[in-house]
Amino acid sequence: MTIVKLAELFSVIVDDVRKKTGVPAISLKLHQTVAQITIEMCRQISQQTGIKQIALSGGVFQNRLLLKLTSDGLQQAGFRVLTHHLVPCNDGGLSLGQAVVANFGKE
């Protein structure tokens, strides 16, 4: 099991706030860091499993910047990236899936 430790990330954010770094700069660094963590975790999992196809899903990937940074980085690392196009990646997609499963057994 791999554990991602975020103490350093939060320390940098707190330091930036104390230095009165602008919110846009802090936000960009946070997004870039989260994308890099995601890419690195995918690389590690790929090395262990051989998987080269990644689905970016869930409410966190409604964030366009995070989605772009992560998707671009994964593609550059040789992954095939799957994203939502017809169904929302958040609770709307979950609800649709539940409705499909609930309707599946009906005649």
Side-chain angles (χ1 to χ4, degrees):
M1 172 175 22
T2 301
I3 297 173
V4 177
K5 296 182 180 181
L6 300 175
E8 185 178 342
L9 171 62
F10 290 120
S11 291
V12 169
I13 291 170
V14 169
D15 288 344
D16 281 347
V17 169
R18 286 184 178 146
K19 293 180 204 170
K20 300 195 185 311
T21 302
V23 171
I26 295 171
S27 176
L28 180 59
K29 280 199 279 188
L30 172 68
H31 284 79
Q32 290 171 329
T33 301
V34 171
Q36 286 300 327
I37 289 169
T38 304
I39 294 161
E40 181 55 33
M41 293 304 300
C42 289
R43 281 186 182 136
Q44 289 181 25
I45 292 167
S46 178
Q47 288 174 351
Q48 296 168 4
T49 65
I51 293 171
K52 295 300 282 181
Q53 184 169 283
I54 306 295
L56 300 179
S57 182
V60 70
F61 287 108
Q62 285 183 287
N63 181 312
R64 289 182 192 157
L65 178 58
L66 184 59
L67 177 61
K68 178 162 180 38
L69 291 170
T70 306
S71 180
D72 288 353
L74 286 168
Q75 288 174 9
Q76 289 172 5
F79 290 95
R80 178 174 178 228
V81 179
L82 307 174
T83 60
H84 291 269
H85 295 282
L86 300 175
V87 176
C89 62
N90 62 358
D91 290 346
L94 180 63
S95 296
L96 177 61
Q98 290 171 336
V100 167
V101 169
N103 191 50
F104 185 71
K106 295 184 179 184
E107 315 240 352

